Amino acid sequence: MVNNKIVACLALILTLLFAACKKNDFKSLLAKITPKDTTKTVPRDTIPKDTIPKDTIPKYTANVYVGGTVFDSLANAYQAVYWKNQVPVVLTHIKKTASVNAITVQGNDVYAAGYVQDENGNYIAAYWKNGVQVNLTDNTTSASTSGIAVQGNDVYVTGFFEFSAVYWKNGQMFVLQGVNGGGGSTEGMVIQGSDIYISGNTGGRPTFWKNFVPAALTNSHPGYAGNIAVQNGDVYVAASYPNLNKAYVTYWKNSIPVTLGDGTIAILATKLAVSGQDVYVACFTEKGGGYFKNDKLNFLSGSAADVYGIAVINNDVYIAGQSTYQKKSVPTVWKNSIPIYLSAPIGKSGYLSCIAVTPL
């Protein structure tokens, strides 16, 4: 179950990996919690795997921005990349690993946050504005980013630094304190009006901050938080709880937990999106990648391996991740469960970590 091609992995803290490690973490957790299935049931794909006819490939009806990494065979390393409507923009050309973990758009400006690895193996937290790299840390320690948001001329980035959940405002770093003290990692960020919301983990438990003040989540158990969304004053946070042979997929609405799934298959949530009265949660399952729309689980067509981003616009559901196509692991976007395979000038192998959509 573990995807060995993903090399961006940092230290395990309080049984939870930080944001840069979530890909291997989720796959490992899912392997541990997957119950034995003697029926060999598999999801029914509406289109056979690896044989998607070109005339059935969906068309974008919005501007779709996705970020991640692609393998560069010449440098023998993964490079940070984002795509706008399937057109790639390669952000790095280094001999070590780099990746985009979060992306947002303001007007004509594209902001991508991630990390780059130096020659000594240290991870440098960074973001790019229209392709120009801004380092948030030096190479004396390991750090990474997980979310990015822009308000006016202010650029906010979340991440972790030396075992602490942190955020940067215009390059200045601040440490976030949890309900039970420091230590942890961040996952997502959203700005609504004058309020700033961040999701993450402290003390081994999912949490969130409003204006940098930690808030307790009712019935929060050891687990992993996904991103955060805010709509009409309501705050939504995704999370998963591996527990013995089951996985409990939950999101909170205003700190009230909502459990998804019927317990018959193992599921781990990654990200959520809210549109109108509907809540969408992207997830791994033992039977493939998928997403919940409210309480209904929908599987993705094709060989869905990883899903790490979800966005909804005009009733269309876009999901970003990785799938197997022509025997390669390729960055993939699903529109309403149908895959769109992406490539880059430096190669096809890679994965997506984030997504943002805007109207055409």
Side-chain angles (χ1 to χ4, degrees), residues 106 111 149-156 169-170 191-196:
Q106 184 184 62
Y111 297 81
V150 180
Q151 186 179 57
N153 295 320
D154 295 325
V155 179
Y156 294 85
K169 178 181 179 181
N170 300 328
I191 298 177
Q192 286 280 313
S194 60
D195 295 320
I196 299 174

Side-chain angles (χ1 to χ4, degrees), residues 29 32-35 241-249 262-268:
L29 288 174
K32 293 177 182 178
I33 63 175
T34 300
Y241 299 109
N243 182 11
L244 299 178
N245 292 324
K246 293 183 180 294
Y248 298 95
V249 180
D262 58 10
T264 59
I265 61 174
I267 304 172
L268 290 171

Side-chain angles (χ1 to χ4, degrees), residues 116-168:
V116 295
Q117 189 182 25
D118 72 1
E119 293 296 327
N120 296 321
N122 289 321
Y123 290 79
I124 300 170
Y127 75 89
W128 295 263
K129 178 182 178 181
N130 299 327
V132 178
Q133 183 173 320
V134 178
N135 287 347
L136 298 170
T137 59
D138 59 24
N139 63 352
T140 60
T141 187
S142 286
S144 186
T145 68
S146 57
I148 187 166
V150 180
Q151 186 179 57
N153 295 320
D154 295 325
V155 179
Y156 294 85
V157 182
T158 59
F160 70 86
F161 176 86
E162 291 188 344
F163 315 124
S164 294
V166 301
Y167 74 95
W168 293 266

Side-chain angles (χ1 to χ4, degrees), residues 16 54 64 73 94 108 123 127 134 175 191 200 211 213 235 239 246 268 276 279 286-287 304-305 308 314 318 326 328:
L16 295 172
K54 290 184 178 181
V64 179
S73 59
I94 60 176
N108 295 320
Y123 290 79
Y127 75 89
V134 178
V175 177
I191 298 177
N211 298 326
V213 177
V235 181
K246 293 183 180 294
L268 290 171
V279 180
E286 62 181 290
K287 297 180 180 181
Y308 291 110
N314 300 327
Y318 293 90
Q326 295 180 345
K328 292 184 178 181

Side-chain angles (χ1 to χ4, degrees), residues 181-239:
S185 63
T186 62
E187 175 59 28
M189 167 184 268
V190 64
I191 298 177
Q192 286 280 313
S194 60
D195 295 320
I196 299 174
Y197 301 84
I198 299 171
S199 61
N201 302 277
T202 58
R205 296 174 184 267
T207 188
F208 80 94
W209 295 262
K210 179 180 180 181
N211 298 326
F212 317 116
V213 177
L217 293 169
T218 305
N219 297 330
S220 176
H221 302 286
Y224 189 90
N227 67 323
I228 189 167
V230 180
Q231 181 164 291
N232 299 325
D234 294 322
V235 181
Y236 300 81
V237 180

